[in-house]
Amino acid sequence: MRAQQSRRFRLQLLGPVRLWHGDDRLSLGPVRRQAVLVALALRPGVLVSHQQLLDAVWGDDPPKSGRSVLPSYVYALRRHLELPGGEPGTSLIHGERGGYRLASDGFTLDLAELAGHTDAARRARAAGDPAGAADRLAHALALFDGEPLAGLPGPFARQERERLLNRRREARVQRLECLVDLGRHGEVLDDLAELCASGPYDEPLTALRMRALYGSGRRGEALTVFADLSRLLRTELGASPGDALGRVHQAILRGEPAVPPGAPAPARRVVNELPGDAGRLSGRETELARLTGAATPGAVTVRTVDGPAGVGKSALVVRAARELSGEYPDGCLYVDLRAHSTQRVPTPVRTLQRLLRSLSTETGELPGELDDLISVWRTATSGLRLLMVVDDALDADQVRPLLPAGAGSRVLVAGRRRLAGLDADLRVTLEPLTAHDSVSLLAELIGARRSSGEPGAIRRLAALCDGLPLALRLAGSRLQNRATWSVEHLVGRMAGEDRLGELSAGDRSVETAFQMSYDHLAPGQRRAFRVLGVTPTVEFDALTPAAMLGLPGAETEVLLEELVDTSLVQQPRPGRYRLHDLVRAHARRLAAATPGETADARGAALRLHLDAARTASDWGADGFPTGPRPPGGPFASWQEAQTWLDAAGSELADVVGHAASAGDADHACWLAEALTDYLVRQGRYHEAETTLETALAHVEGATDRRMPPALWNCLGYTAIHQRRYQRARACLEKTLGLLAARPDAFEEGRTRTALGAMALSLGDAGSALRHTDEGLVLARGIGSDWVAATALIIQGLSYYYDRQNEKALTCFADALAHAEAIGRPRTTGRALSCAADALLRLGRFKEAKRRLRAAVVLVEEVGDAFLCARSLTRLGTAEQADGDPEAAIALHHQALRRHHALSRLTEPSYDWLEMDIRSRLGHAYLATGRWPQAGREFQAVQDTHARSRAGR
């Protein structure tokens, strides 16, 4: 065994980092490479992600090359850690998806030897053998070779260095205590003087020094040390020495032994109340490392953990306490405040009385008043170094009286609320487990054989449990107790209406845990939480619940922040909120119990989204002749409305589905219509089609009878922009069929104009003019500026392609007047840009430039990259024709940059626009005599053309 041990790698961290293999010391290279090794070695057997390594070694100043720098460091470390005699390329460091893992069975750490000596010393002291303990502690201190992790950069090394320095100081103090207990007072005086100088407020250390001085016959100096500390505490902190130090002082004053002669001080019963662990802690390595990190020297360290019900807060703080328990010789206490329990909540008085009896510091009658008990508790703990877990805390007022007074003590607090009123060194907000960790926990619960047989079902079950360990454990428990159930069977049951009902076992259930959180809310918070259950999007800002609650935005934001503090609502980024899936399901259940409130709130949310979509649309107010009219607020402009919709991202289609599933067919149809222009302008054709098809499936239930032809018109509009002309024709013919049975001038005007646009795209200018003539008559008859502007632009382009330039200019001028009446920059910019084409052909370059510059400003305002690139390249052509080819080249390059913002997947004219710009740029290069550059552009045109044809 010794031979096998000698062949293992040895890593020394209690000084400069050194790696040994047998008697050979291996060079580790640069300090950052060493820091990477240490970050892996101190998490043996654990997968450490790339981001964790970057954070550990570089902190807030990551390398510019990002994660790509890690492989070069790890490659060199792998070579050092290859097993001799093993297969080539084998190493203790294993690269896995997302990070690296250091095998724990291939190396030893001097930290393990340190722990062995300190543990043996603790056992020796407990057995009444201070000499043996002092010898073990001397061996422990001999392991240190200067500062631990000397010279290593990064926050992880800095944190570990502080922790190890604290361990060295603790071992040093414990050895000195043993020597004083043995009566070897003279040997310790110099060390105690040095330690007291570095910790002038440390009362236990001062008491030890006074005992050593007194035992060495230097009674006067011992009393002077006490007087100096008393003066320091009084002037600096306004405090007095604690009882333990006072007793030593009184014994010296009376000339009595500070401890019983010939024996160590009476041993006090060391209590450990920590509950047992509940299995493996999955996916919490980072949080556990933060909680067990170095304590604040000379103070009480307080660290809090918050998160929603069932996320695993209690398990985490108990595991952290168990890992730390060896560092707290005076005891480990556990307090369950039962804030969210069906049991009676203990009062602070009863809690402090129990804690005092646990420590056996008081016997007989204890005070019954809280203030008196707090005073007794602080006195009793002032000379102790305790570890305390406070579980299920409701607020800071519950916790504050329980904090021990002894410097070096540590308190870990778990609660659903964020205890903002409690001074804490560190706050950890616990989020649900990742998909990988959720699957791993389920597999552990139900067994590898059963889980490996249904990998897809396991992943779906983990997703349905929303990453909550409580939900995962309850689901695992159901499968454990029902051997005949497949995982897929439970998935099917949970996918139904009663997902929460399936997550229960005995007296434990996810719904009960959530209900207890809800029961602690104030009435206004409860109403807000119920309303959030019917928000049409998963993520939202304060505006949606403000509309649903009928409250001002500022008041609503306060409510949301309060719910965030209770861990019922998440805040993924500033100003944005969401509910966990299971919490949302509970909120929906509560909302269902108040149908009147729910219906009003849902209607307000849908109306808000409808107002935003209609306000942001290029179609203008007259583009939506039926349905509710947008109110005076909350969107003061189309820009505000568009920005708000942008924040919703891909969830807009879900709003239509939400309205449809709630039976509100009118809002589903109105929303689908209003969102069409917004989605199409962004190239989000699939989302536009999804919303429209969802609405069409419910259109028969709508009271607005304009909706059937309107939605088919919108589908045709979407298909034309995609150049799916066969699909567009079918949709528009369907619209005409509906209009034959139920005429509507607005919808027929839209249909005729759309047919004209399609005809123009197919090269049939005559048909385009005929259709748009009909559309224009209808638009003018009902006063629709948007339909009229669109029809006139199509007519202008038809005349332009037919080389009837003056007629084209007349159409574009009329279109501009209608566009300006709508007040939307894009339609105005389009009319100006198209008019410039005719002016260029007529040689009226200065007029063309004026219109194109105005068009660029307008379309940039709305972020239309296509129209912007089109206008810029034509402006370049105008500058070249007006005698400035250098300006033309610059403008064409600007156009190319705008073109690169487009996507070939969503912009059907992507290749055409690129060819147009590069062709114009090539001619500008020819005008300046730059033949090679011109040749490259013309070649690019040919290549793009070939690629475009090949892709058809």
Side-chain angles (χ1 to χ4, degrees), residues 172-483:
R172 191 177 173 189
V173 171
Q174 289 169 12
R175 179 175 174 273
L176 295 175
E177 289 172 348
C178 292
L179 294 177
V180 171
D181 290 343
L182 290 167
R184 294 160 61 178
H185 305 108
E187 298 178 36
V188 303
L189 290 176
D190 290 342
D191 281 350
L192 282 171
E194 178 189 339
L195 287 168
C196 285
S198 65
Y201 302 106
D202 192 330
E203 293 189 28
L205 194 62
T206 300
L208 187 64
R209 186 183 178 200
M210 289 171 62
R211 288 175 56 200
L213 286 166
Y214 180 50
S216 300
R218 297 158 69 173
R219 180 171 177 265
E221 291 181 54
L223 294 173
T224 300
V225 167
F226 180 83
D228 290 344
L229 179 60
S230 298
R231 186 165 48 252
L232 182 65
L233 290 172
R234 185 172 58 255
T235 57
E236 297 291 332
L237 304 178
S240 301
D243 287 353
L245 185 59
R247 284 193 292 270
V248 173
H249 179 236
Q250 290 297 317
I252 295 172
L253 283 174
R254 291 192 296 267
E256 298 172 355
V259 293
R268 180 179 57 78
R269 181 175 66 90
V270 177
V271 64
N272 186 339
E273 298 179 338
L274 297 178
D277 274 344
R280 184 169 66 88
L281 197 67
S282 299
R284 301 302 190 199
E285 292 80 9
T286 300
E287 294 86 352
L288 185 63
R290 295 181 70 195
L291 289 178
T292 57
T296 303
V300 177
T301 298
V302 179
R303 295 184 176 172
T304 68
V305 179
D306 63 80
V311 81
K313 302 177 294 296
S314 299
L316 175 63
V317 293
V318 168
R319 174 60 59 84
R322 287 200 161 274
E323 291 197 6
L324 290 165
S325 60
E327 301 177 20
Y328 294 87
D330 295 319
C332 303
L333 302 174
Y334 177 81
V335 178
D336 186 355
L337 295 179
R338 300 201 291 266
H340 302 89
S341 170
T342 56
Q343 301 179 51
R344 198 170 96 183
V345 177
T347 65
V349 168
R350 291 181 62 84
T351 301
L352 282 172
Q353 288 175 337
R354 187 189 68 74
L355 287 170
L356 283 163
R357 291 195 174 97
S358 294
L359 290 177
S360 299
T361 58
E362 296 286 345
T363 58
E365 191 70 22
L366 288 169
E369 296 295 327
L370 180 59
D371 288 345
D372 294 337
L373 272 171
I374 292 173
S375 178
V376 172
W377 169 247
R378 288 174 179 168
T379 300
T381 58
S382 62
L384 304 179
R385 196 171 71 215
L386 295 167
L387 174 64
M388 177 184 288
V389 172
V390 180
D391 199 6
D392 199 11
L394 181 63
D395 53 39
D397 290 340
Q398 274 190 312
V399 178
R400 218 176 279 114
L402 309 182
L403 298 179
S409 294
R410 186 187 304 235
V411 182
L412 304 177
V413 185
R416 299 183 189 181
R417 295 175 181 264
R418 295 179 178 177
L419 306 181
L422 185 68
D423 290 334
D425 308 86
L426 175 71
R427 301 178 192 275
V428 175
T429 295
L430 214 54
E431 298 291 346
L433 297 175
T434 65
H436 172 79
D437 291 326
S438 298
V439 168
S440 176
L441 178 56
L442 277 174
E444 180 188 5
L445 291 169
I446 68 173
R449 182 186 61 80
R450 198 170 177 188
S451 62
S452 62
E454 297 181 86
I458 281 284
R459 287 193 294 272
R460 290 192 294 277
L461 181 57
L464 287 167
C465 291
D466 201 24
L468 286 181
L470 174 61
L472 293 161
R473 290 187 180 279
L474 290 173
S477 177
R478 298 207 76 186
L479 290 170
Q480 288 170 346
N481 294 322
R482 290 164 176 78

Side-chain angles (χ1 to χ4, degrees), residues 572-591:
R573 55 188 184 276
R576 302 292 295 180
Y577 304 90
R578 60 168 292 150
L579 277 67
H580 289 295
D581 286 352
L582 291 175
V583 175
R584 185 179 171 89
H586 183 61
R588 280 198 299 267
R589 278 197 174 190
L590 294 170

Side-chain angles (χ1 to χ4, degrees), residues 743-817:
D744 185 298
F746 177 80
E747 292 305 325
E748 186 175 353
R750 282 213 290 186
T751 309
R752 298 297 178 188
T753 301
L755 287 168
M758 186 170 64
L760 179 64
S761 298
L762 294 171
D764 187 352
S767 294
L769 287 168
R770 186 171 61 255
H771 284 303
T772 51
D773 274 338
E774 296 178 31
L776 193 55
V777 169
L778 290 164
R780 285 173 171 162
I782 58 174
S784 174
D785 287 306
W786 175 70
V787 176
T790 306
L792 285 163
I793 289 173
I794 295 167
Q795 284 193 348
L797 288 171
S798 300
Y799 284 127
Y800 171 77
Y801 293 139
D802 201 34
R803 307 195 73 81
Q804 299 184 58
N805 300 306
E806 293 297 342
K807 284 187 176 181
L809 285 173
T810 300
C811 289
F812 293 137
D814 288 348
L816 184 61

